[in-house]
Amino acid sequence: MVNSIFAIRTIRTLPTVANRAGLIQRSSFHSSVPVFVRVGDRIPDTDVLVEDSPGNKINLAKEIKGKRSLIIGVPAAFSPACSSSHVPGYINHKDIKKAGDVFVVSVNDPFVTKAWGLSLDPAGKSGIHKIRFLGDPTGKFTGALDLLFDGTAIFGNARAKRYALVVEDGTVKEAYVEPDNTGVDVTAAKKVLG
């Protein structure tokens, strides 16, 4: 008879970012998939982000080369938390200009992200370093960061986990990702910018 005071937990192995094929693995006691974007990672060099129109492709790795920047990822443009607290928290933060170039990335089309940006910051309150709103219509940029989650039940498709990345010269220096994918806690402007 086994003593009930002892419990055996199985260790689930998960692929690491270094090897998406799953050849190198790590152990985890958590039931959720861990976040893979980490300090030291490079921003993906892709031409899949769009700004204002489908023809205006943005390669974020090239845009931020040699600069300090902040990339804010959100689950959905016009969603309640994104529109009422998360992004406005950055727009209205006293130290937003110290963040360098600021980008908001959402798994949406460029028309939606353009309209959303205009609705949140119509007077350009974010100042000389205007916050730029980028669409990731295919989710490929977000997927390259391993920050997609299955948002089908709420948003109809895969979406970005809520995140904030402080980046210098294309390298992630600080990474903040909501553990529940959509909350506004660790990624709030007051925690990221101080």
Side-chain angles (χ1 to χ4, degrees):
M1 186 168 182
V2 176
N3 189 336
S4 63
I5 200 165
F6 297 103
I8 298 173
R9 293 184 97 175
T10 57
I11 298 174
R12 195 174 92 186
T13 57
L14 300 166
T16 64
V17 128
N19 188 341
R20 294 180 205 276
L23 300 175
I24 300 171
Q25 300 191 342
R26 69 170 178 234
S27 299
S28 172
F29 286 104
H30 303 285
S31 61
S32 61
V33 176
V35 177
F36 289 116
V37 66
R38 297 208 178 354
V39 171
D41 286 351
R42 303 281 303 161
I43 295 303
D45 188 0
T46 63
D47 292 317
V48 296
L49 296 174
V50 287
E51 185 175 31
D52 299 338
S53 73
N56 190 18
K57 302 273 186 197
I58 302 295
N59 183 318
L60 206 47
K62 291 178 181 171
E63 287 280 328
I64 64 177
K65 185 175 177 143
K67 302 177 185 176
R68 179 172 173 79
S69 57
L70 175 65
I71 303 169
I72 304 160
V74 298
F78 290 106
S79 66
C82 299
S83 297
S84 67
S85 62
H86 192 225
V87 175
Y90 285 95
I91 291 170
N92 298 315
H93 197 282
K94 63 181 177 56
D95 291 331
I96 190 64
K97 291 179 177 98
K98 294 178 185 176
D101 292 345
V102 181
F103 303 88
V104 175
V105 177
S106 181
V107 179
N108 285 108
D109 65 70
F111 307 113
V112 169
T113 53
K114 178 181 180 181
W116 187 45
L118 290 172
S119 75
L120 290 177
D121 194 16
K125 185 176 180 180
S126 57
I128 203 161
H129 296 297
K130 181 182 178 239
I131 294 176
R132 294 171 63 186
F133 290 78
L134 306 178
D136 184 10
T138 62
K140 288 182 180 177
F141 176 81
T142 304
L145 292 171
D146 280 335
L147 290 173
L148 283 176
F149 77 98
D150 182 3
T152 306
I154 301 168
F155 304 113
N157 60 350
R159 293 299 178 124
K161 296 179 180 200
R162 190 178 307 280
Y163 67 90
L165 303 175
V166 176
V167 181
E168 288 185 29
D169 193 24
T171 300
V172 176
K173 295 298 181 189
E174 298 174 45
Y176 304 85
V177 179
E178 293 296 343
D180 69 350
N181 300 331
T182 60
V184 181
D185 180 27
V186 299
T187 62
K190 63 184 177 187
K191 292 190 177 175
V192 175
L193 299 175

